[in-house]
């Protein structure tokens, strides 16, 4: 494993492709309102703002903003490294 003098390989069973997505659900009935799939797997959390924006990132380093009502990608920035933790809040 990396850092321990070895290596590791991750593989999905049955040749499946790993992927991730951000979903929005209606609170009154639990139905999915929209789904955004970045095209790769993701382990990042989502940061919601009072301005109805959602920020997250994917495994290949694309940090992005989504419209909270529609799931439309409004903005993105290539950070050069994958996102795997929550965005940090500073005061």
């Amino acid at each position: 494993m990396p850092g321990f003098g070895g290596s590791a390989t991750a593989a999905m069973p049955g040749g499946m492709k790993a992927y991730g997505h951000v979903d929005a659900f209606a609170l009154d009935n639990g139905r999915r309102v929209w789904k955004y799939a970045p095209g790769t797997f993701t382990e990042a959390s989502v940061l919601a703002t009072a301005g109805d924006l959602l920020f997250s990132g994917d495994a290949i380093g694309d940090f992005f903003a989504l419209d909270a009502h529609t799931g439309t990608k409004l903005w993105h920035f290539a950070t050069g490294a994958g996102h795997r933790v929550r965005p940090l809040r500073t005061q």
Side-chain angles (χ1 to χ4, degrees):
M1 296 176 48
F4 295 102
S7 64
T9 302
M12 295 291 292
M16 295 171 51
K17 181 182 176 192
Y19 69 96
H21 50 92
V22 178
D23 296 352
F25 294 91
L27 294 176
D28 58 349
N29 59 23
R31 292 191 179 139
R32 183 173 25 212
V33 177
W34 56 258
K35 176 180 182 176
Y36 172 75
T40 183
F41 73 94
T42 180
E43 298 172 322
S45 343
V46 177
L47 174 70
T49 72
D52 295 326
L53 295 175
L54 303 176
F55 288 92
S56 192
D58 65 23
I60 60 173
D62 189 32
F63 189 70
F64 53 85
L66 304 176
D67 180 295
H69 297 283
T70 65
T72 303
K73 187 176 182 179
L74 302 173
W75 172 86
H76 71 102
F77 179 77
T79 62
H83 302 278
R84 290 175 181 76
V85 297
R86 69 191 186 286
L88 299 176
R89 179 181 151 207
T90 60
Q91 295 185 4

